[in-house]
Amino acid sequence: MKKSLLGGALLAALLAGTAGLAQAADCKIGVAMYTLSAPYFAAQQAAAIDEGKKAGCEVTTSDGQNDMGKQISDVEDMVAKGVNLLILNPRDPEGLVGAANAATKAGVKVVVMDSSINTKADVITQVRSSNDQNGFLVGEWLAKKMQGKPVKIILLSGSQGNEVGRDRRLGVFRGLVEGQLVNDGKAGFEVLGQGWGNWATEDGLKAAEDLLQAHPDVNVLLAENDSMALGGMKALQAAGKTDVLVLAAADGQKEALALIKDGKYGATGLNDPDLVARTAVDIGMKALKGDLPADFPKLNLTTPAVITQDNVDKYYRKDAVF
């Protein structure tokens, strides 16, 4: 699958290209989120709405409530109501293929953002952060931080079958092994247990409580996003455990960044919901106008980074939505 890294030049070009579309009164955008259970998703939806309205479009939204059947119905309803651009964050990479293909067949331009969809889906492109590379960078940082110590991890994962979570955790594991090999010439770590936190703070708290009871010897809490890691921190505090390193494979949520500044949270990967959403809308508007080249990449990735105490000031914004 052809892919590209989205840098400032491409994003600026996309943003500039939408400036003249304000007169497009018949532009109707549907933003179909599979969940709004975490601040990340709320910020992503807000950015997509704002970017669509800036382009002069009518924007409707839906919350799939983490239910694939509901999200499919949401998409079908949007198509029936006449949207001509669908921004889709899919609950399941396989389960939303049919709905995406049906929308495209009906003449709707479909751009997938954040979560992945099977490449057999007939969509304009997929826009997301590099989950694997963000995870890899976090893993390398973890290897350096834990050098000379055993690494005993409890893992808070998002939802079963979600490819984003899979790519994030495997990226961390790859980076951890590579970092250990570079640092020590050998590698080894133990995942004591995995819990499912549904990407949310409260569910992350519950999953961490169960894991801590079963594995009191843990020294690293790794989550696939910041919201679950923040829930895991609450569980650690309640258990009186102050010697566990907390980190996330991705997101950059402002509450996590504030804790990174204070040295209370290890690291996270850069996954900017605002950038992902605005880029998806901008690409979709280009597609509506017929301005995308025939060879436009089917996968567009934002630039990966690991956020630590050394560079957090570059990313932390106290007034950020997310």
Side-chain angles (χ1 to χ4, degrees):
M1 180 167 56
K2 187 175 180 181
K3 65 182 181 180
S4 71
L5 281 176
L6 284 171
L10 176 56
L11 179 58
L14 289 168
L15 289 168
T18 64
L21 292 172
Q23 72 274 19
D26 60 344
C27 170
K28 296 181 179 179
I29 301 176
V31 181
M33 304 294 293
Y34 80 82
T35 183
L36 292 174
S37 65
Y40 174 89
F41 299 110
Q44 190 173 77
Q45 178 180 266
I49 293 170
D50 182 64
E51 198 66 20
K53 288 183 176 179
K54 283 180 179 177
C57 299
E58 175 187 333
V59 184
T60 59
T61 65
S62 64
D63 174 10
Q65 298 175 9
N66 212 23
D67 182 315
M68 186 170 68
K70 183 180 184 306
Q71 189 178 34
I72 291 171
S73 296
D74 290 341
V75 170
E76 292 172 345
D77 185 57
M78 287 179 172
V79 173
K81 290 180 177 178
V83 301
N84 44 23
L85 171 59
L86 174 66
I87 307 298
L88 174 65
N89 188 337
R91 168 64 179 80
D92 183 88
E94 303 294 337
L96 270 294
V97 171
N101 287 349
T104 297
K105 188 174 181 180
V108 179
K109 304 298 184 183
V110 181
V111 177
V112 173
M113 70 173 176
D114 197 48
S115 297
S116 61
I117 198 167
N118 191 297
T119 54
K120 67 186 179 185
D122 186 7
V123 300
I124 300 299
T125 192
Q126 301 187 49
V127 181
R128 60 179 181 265
S129 66
S130 180
N131 293 301
D132 174 75
Q133 285 303 306
N134 273 331
F136 187 87
L137 294 173
V138 170
E140 286 189 315
W141 179 89
L142 177 60
K144 186 174 181 181
K145 184 71 174 180
M146 297 295 290
Q147 189 171 4
K149 303 175 184 176
V151 180
K152 298 184 177 183
I153 300 170
I154 57 172
L155 174 65
L156 300 181
S157 292
S159 53
Q160 296 188 39
N162 185 280
E163 292 187 359
V164 169
R166 180 202 65 192
D167 291 348
R168 288 180 181 181
R169 63 179 174 265
L170 293 182
V172 174
F173 296 158
R174 286 197 314 108
L176 176 55
V177 168
E178 183 64 22
Q180 288 176 328
L181 289 173
V182 170
N183 296 336
D184 303 317
K186 59 182 180 179
F189 64 94
E190 187 176 0
V191 179
L192 302 175
Q194 179 184 30
W196 300 97
N198 295 313
W199 308 108
T201 299
E202 287 306 311
D203 288 341
L205 166 62
K206 294 173 185 175
E209 287 174 339
D210 292 340
L211 288 168
L212 287 172
Q213 287 184 354
H215 307 289
D217 55 336
V218 59
N219 61 2
V220 175
L221 186 151
L222 168 65
E224 290 168 7
N225 76 345
D226 286 320
S227 289
M228 292 187 294
L230 292 168
M233 286 189 73
K234 292 181 180 180
L236 289 170
Q237 291 165 1
K241 295 189 72 65
T242 59
D243 57 347
V244 176
L245 176 64
V246 177
L247 72 165
D251 273 357
Q253 187 172 334
K254 67 179 181 181
E255 292 84 358
L257 299 189
L259 290 168
I260 289 174
K261 282 175 64 72
D262 292 339
K264 299 176 181 178
Y265 191 112
T268 188
L270 176 62
N271 182 29
D272 187 341
D274 189 278
L275 175 62
V276 169
R278 291 183 190 278
T279 303
V281 172
D282 295 336
I283 290 172
M285 294 302 296
K286 289 269 188 180
L288 279 178
K289 197 178 179 182
D291 286 348
L292 289 182
D295 62 346
F296 190 78
K298 288 293 185 180
L299 177 61
N300 290 270
L301 301 176
T302 58
T303 303
V306 57
I307 304 173
T308 70
Q309 198 170 28
D310 292 334
N311 65 357
V312 66
D313 287 336
K314 177 180 177 181
Y315 302 100
Y316 178 65
R317 300 191 313 275
K318 189 175 181 179
D319 60 348
V321 175
F322 173 73

